[in-house]
Amino acid sequence: MDFIDLPPLLSAQGVVQLPGSKSISNRVLLLSALAGGVTEVRDLLESDDTARMLDALRALGIAVESLGDRVYRIHGVAGNFPCKRAELFLGNAGTAFRSLTAALALAGGHYTLTGVARMHERPIGDLVDALRELGADIRYLENEGFPPLEIRPSTIRSRGHVQVRGDLSSQFLTGLLMALPLTGTETTIEVVGDLISKPYIEITLATMARFGVEVVREGWQRFIVPAGDTYRSPGVVYVEADASSASYFLALGAIGGGPLRVAGVGCDSVQGDVRFADALAQMGARIETGSNWIAAAAPPSGKLRGISLDCKHIPDAAMTLATTALFAEGPTTLTHIASWRVKETDRIEAMATELRKLGAEVQTGADFIRVIPRKGDLRSPDAGIDTYDDHRIAMCFSLVSLASTLRINDPACVSKTFPEYFAAFAKVTRPVPVIAIDGPSASGKGTVAARVAAALGWHYLDSGALYRLTALACRRAGVSWRDEARVAAIAAGLDVVFGENSIRLSGDEVNDAIRDEEISSGASQVAALPTVRNALLFRQRLFRQAPGLVADGRDMASVVFPDAQTKVFLTASVEVRAERRHKQLIEKGIAASILPLLQDLRERDQRDSRRSVAPLQQSEDAMLLDTTDLTIEQAVDQVLLWSRKGS
Ligand code: DC
């Protein structure tokens, strides 16, 4: 899928069962493999990053059984991988790459570790330096300091002391900590520089302890890995839900009313990202927590406020604050986020670029981002939000749908940590409702749709008008209606303002001009061009705004708003339609007679139902409304009745 168009939301509330934590899953998998005994891992995250780790372990000769329902059985090898030669492809999974590098460097064997292009741009030199200090033989296969790597067998001599930098990525320290028990000797790790992402180190230490190795920590500068401790299987391990994934739903509750409760992580969690809830509370959100759940709701005033926050302790969840900031009063400044620059993409630059597309003012520096929300409505770009193959960008921008329809490009990137994200999102959000009305020419659908919209106080989209406007704009620009590429470009750039009873094209009133016979014929020609229909798709979706939309036209129920709550196919016998059209023309003072109109409608019906692009068809889930014997008022009442039932 190239993109997903998220509908605008009225509110968000409910309960989300989150998938397992990526950080815990990949640590538990590696330690289960390194341990003596069999470990049953329950609630494992099933995603790209854990799939890379599982593939790697299998390639190293570890027996992995998948028992279904997120349960895996790992047969540990007590630190001695059966395969002494292997080529491992680790995608863009930083947690797998760093920790396997360390474990394999100390395990003896001949291995190559590669990843996707971005993985090869993510630094690893600080970890390699530390491992070389211990005697490991590691070579850079491309650029000094970066993957891919070759590891050769070597003699490991822990001299009891090793240094590692801690201010760029905490994963270097994590890798080293998890691998050191393989040496069998007591080793003190000294962290050089100010350690970032300390909560991730806590996860590492807690997971190691679960497998029987207790590291002695002296502040955040020295870690002593004891001699003789080896990993032992704890039998069964449950993986906590992912606290970083929780952040999107908590923010959703804080902006979209709530309460929204995430299940599987709470105040007893070992994951630092649960502190994201404190940041939301500072912004004014109402937060409640239990031992294994957290709930967020909007502030009593309804409005969040911007904050300044040192995000060293919640580097991943902090991205969610950057999009939450769009909904707050005043600027939000997030500092100490230099590690963003070496993640799946340069997240500081990427977030700034995408936030600016929405109309926010954004300032950035080496290690901070400041978001100044736009006054008034935000702009939702036709070209969509780009996601840079970064799951978190896709997920944190989904919040914007609380303000507007939003297109997110390459949404499948969420599979890195949360393959079911958009389905989970849909379950706890209430989109702006749509009534889609379709039907043949002169069935009265336009009149009925406009009156239903007025009765409900909802917005109205006359989609046919967009095709008519495109035809007129082409005529004015001297572009042939058959020139698909140029017609589509004109459709994409239409400068239209819809008023109460007026339509302005580039400033000119064109309500009558788009209804004449010649433009009607042009409209039906341009409407048959697939590229033109695509060009108008997002623009039509932007009409969906609170409190609701009534949309009339050919493919409203099938293509443009397939999730419409109420779908109506409005029709009448061809004779009655001819009479109605005749009456309309006479009222406008246009001479007309019934027979040619009847003939014309019959031909049009045939053409419309046979054409290959968006043929006129009653969509399967649409209610049929035959108005042959109904007044307009009766037809309107029937649609209103259905819409009340549908909501
Ligand atoms: O509903 P109308 O007559 O104003 O529509 C003008 C033309 O555009 C007509 O040929 C049908 C076509 N159309 C379409 O193909 N898809 C829509 N959603 C709406 C109209």
Side-chain angles (χ1 to χ4, degrees):
M1 202 184 350
D2 294 345
F3 60 79
I4 187 171
D5 283 344
L6 296 176
L9 305 175
L10 290 177
S11 63
Q13 59 274 117
V15 180
V16 179
Q17 183 64 52
L18 295 166
S21 151
K22 172 187 75 164
S23 308
I24 299 177
S25 291
N26 269 353
R27 283 167 175 78
V28 165
L29 286 176
L30 179 60
L31 295 192
S32 301
L34 292 177
V38 177
T39 305
E40 189 163 300
V41 185
R42 300 200 181 147
D43 298 337
L44 187 81
L45 169 65
E46 292 180 329
S47 76
D48 290 351
D49 277 13
T50 53
R52 295 293 77 74
M53 178 62 101
L54 285 166
D55 289 349
L57 294 179
R58 288 192 181 102
L60 292 165
I62 304 289
V64 175
E65 291 174 78
S66 166
L67 305 182
D69 203 20
R70 304 187 291 159
V71 181
Y72 289 77
R73 198 176 283 147
I74 314 291
H75 295 255
V77 292
N80 189 14
F81 290 114
C83 296
K84 296 295 175 203
R85 281 189 90 94
E87 290 184 11
L88 307 179
F89 171 75
L90 298 165
N92 200 7
T95 49
F97 207 107
R98 278 67 180 264
S99 59
L100 279 166
T101 295
L104 294 175
L106 304 188
H110 193 163
Y111 304 105
T112 56
L113 286 77
T114 65
V116 298
R118 174 62 188 171
M119 192 71 233
H120 295 178
E121 293 169 1
R122 298 174 67 183
I124 196 161
D126 295 326
L127 175 60
V128 169
D129 290 347
L131 292 165
R132 282 177 174 166
E133 233 187 279
L134 296 165
D137 182 354
I138 305 176
R139 300 167 193 202
Y140 297 111
L141 293 175
E142 284 172 15
N143 295 321
E144 194 71 12
F146 296 87
L149 302 178
E150 179 183 0
I151 294 171
R152 297 192 178 194
S154 63
T155 312
I156 301 301
R157 320 162 294 275
S158 167
R159 289 187 301 266
H161 185 264
V162 65
Q163 289 193 327
V164 70
R165 247 183 88 184
D167 53 356
L168 187 59
S169 165
S170 68
Q171 287 180 11
F172 304 149
L173 175 57
T174 282
L176 208 53
L177 280 165
M178 292 203 295
L180 274 172
L182 298 178
T183 64
T185 49
E186 178 177 302
T187 309
T188 301
I189 306 176
E190 193 186 328
V191 177
V192 181
D194 198 10
L195 180 63
I196 59 164
S197 313
K198 295 181 181 107
Y200 286 107
I201 299 303
E202 303 223 46
I203 298 178
T204 305
L205 299 180
T207 315
M208 289 172 69
R210 196 86 179 78
F211 282 82
V213 175
E214 300 276 353
V215 175
V216 179
R217 175 166 79 73
E218 293 179 356
W220 292 102
Q221 237 46 54
R222 285 156 61 85
F223 297 81
I224 303 160
V225 181
D229 267 12
T230 51
Y231 292 121
R232 293 182 309 277
S233 166
V236 175
V237 180
Y238 284 86
V239 175
E240 263 185 31
D242 195 296
S244 316
S245 300
S247 69
Y248 314 111
F249 293 99
L250 295 175
L252 203 55
I255 305 164
L260 215 160
R261 177 193 282 234
V262 294
V265 278
C267 49
D268 289 349
S269 169
V270 296
Q271 299 169 74
D273 270 356
V274 289
R275 300 269 308 277
F276 173 80
D278 300 342
L280 274 187
Q282 266 190 52
M283 295 181 89
R286 285 174 294 159
I287 301 291
E288 281 186 71
T289 53
S291 64
N292 68 343
W293 59 269
I294 310 174
S301 68
K303 193 76 187 160
L304 296 167
R305 50 180 182 272
I307 54 169
S308 290
L309 189 72
D310 178 334
C311 296
K312 248 197 321 257
H313 61 300
I314 50 167
D316 282 356
M319 292 171 75
T320 314
L321 294 174
T323 47
T324 305
L326 294 168
F327 295 87
E329 250 153 30
T332 289
T333 308
L334 309 176
T335 58
H336 284 105
I337 52 165
S339 65
W340 281 20
R341 294 202 183 271
V342 294
K343 296 288 184 159
E344 280 78 346
T345 183
D346 179 339
R347 287 177 165 168
I348 294 185
E349 280 317 306
M351 291 297 288
T353 304
E354 302 310 308
L355 287 164
R356 285 183 187 124
K357 284 186 186 170
L358 296 164
E361 187 186 330
V362 184
Q363 296 158 4
T364 61
D367 70 346
F368 78 90
I369 189 165
R370 179 175 297 119
V371 183
I372 302 156
R374 178 185 164 90
K375 296 244 180 303
D377 293 344
L378 48 76
R379 288 193 302 257
S380 183
D382 289 11
I385 293 295
D386 289 322
T387 48
Y388 309 80
D389 207 10
D390 185 341
H391 55 138
R392 298 208 185 284
I393 293 189
M395 294 189 281
C396 71
F397 274 93
S398 66
L399 299 177
V400 173
S401 61
L402 283 159
S404 162
T405 299
L406 186 77
R407 176 163 292 187
I408 295 186
N409 296 323
D410 186 23
C413 65
V414 299
S415 65
K416 191 168 200 289
T417 52
F418 200 158
E420 303 301 322
Y421 179 73
F422 290 106
F425 185 88
K427 269 198 195 144
V428 291
T429 49
R430 203 152 66 88
V432 169
V434 175
I435 300 175
I437 303 184
D438 194 4
S441 255
S443 60
K445 61 185 190 306
T447 314
V448 171
R451 290 209 194 172
V452 168
L456 292 168
W458 288 11
H459 300 272
Y460 168 53
L461 165 61
D462 170 2
S463 62
L466 288 173
Y467 291 98
R468 291 171 179 275
L469 284 157
T470 302
L472 179 64
C474 287
R475 170 61 24 112
R476 290 187 171 178
V479 167
S480 156
W481 291 326
R482 281 191 289 272
D483 185 344
E484 184 157 357
R486 294 182 68 196
V487 177
I490 285 187
L494 282 181
D495 169 16
V496 184
V497 180
F498 288 89
E500 185 86 345
N501 283 310
S502 82
I503 301 179
R504 291 185 173 277
L505 178 64
S506 305
D508 288 350
E509 170 61 55
V510 293
N511 212 0
D512 291 332
I514 60 168
R515 309 271 162 208
D516 80 26
E517 277 309 305
E518 197 209 346
I519 296 301
S520 296
S521 150
S524 101
Q525 284 181 48
V526 300
L529 305 172
T531 333
V532 174
R533 301 196 78 82
N534 267 338
L536 289 174
L537 183 61
F538 189 68
R539 182 175 271 259
Q540 294 177 82
R541 288 178 172 161
L542 283 176
F543 279 84
R544 186 174 189 172
Q545 286 172 23
L549 173 70
V550 183
D552 116 50
R554 186 67 32 104
D555 52 355
M556 294 299 106
S558 55
V559 176
V560 183
F561 303 109
D563 65 331
Q565 282 74 0
T566 311
K567 299 181 178 180
V568 178
F569 190 82
L570 201 103
T571 189
S573 71
V574 70
E575 291 79 13
V576 166
R577 286 189 279 135
E579 272 170 35
R580 288 179 186 163
R581 164 90 13 120
H582 182 249
K583 196 165 151 227
Q584 238 177 17
L585 292 173
I586 300 295
E587 275 169 10
K588 278 195 188 165
I590 302 170
S593 52
I594 294 255
L595 275 182
L597 284 173
L598 190 60
Q599 183 61 19
D600 181 52
L601 279 178
R602 285 205 169 103
E603 282 167 13
R604 234 193 241 212
D605 283 357
Q606 285 239 326
R607 252 200 334 262
D608 276 1
S609 54
R610 278 210 216 112
R611 72 181 218 204
S612 59
V613 178
L616 178 67
Q617 270 169 3
Q618 179 184 347
S619 81
E620 257 172 39
D621 49 354
M623 314 289 275
L624 179 69
L625 182 55
D626 187 336
T627 64
T628 306
D629 300 316
L630 298 184
T631 63
I632 289 179
E633 288 72 24
Q634 286 171 319
V636 168
D637 285 347
Q638 180 60 67
V639 175
L640 289 172
L641 193 68
W642 280 332
S643 91
R644 259 183 263 141
K645 279 194 187 144
S647 63

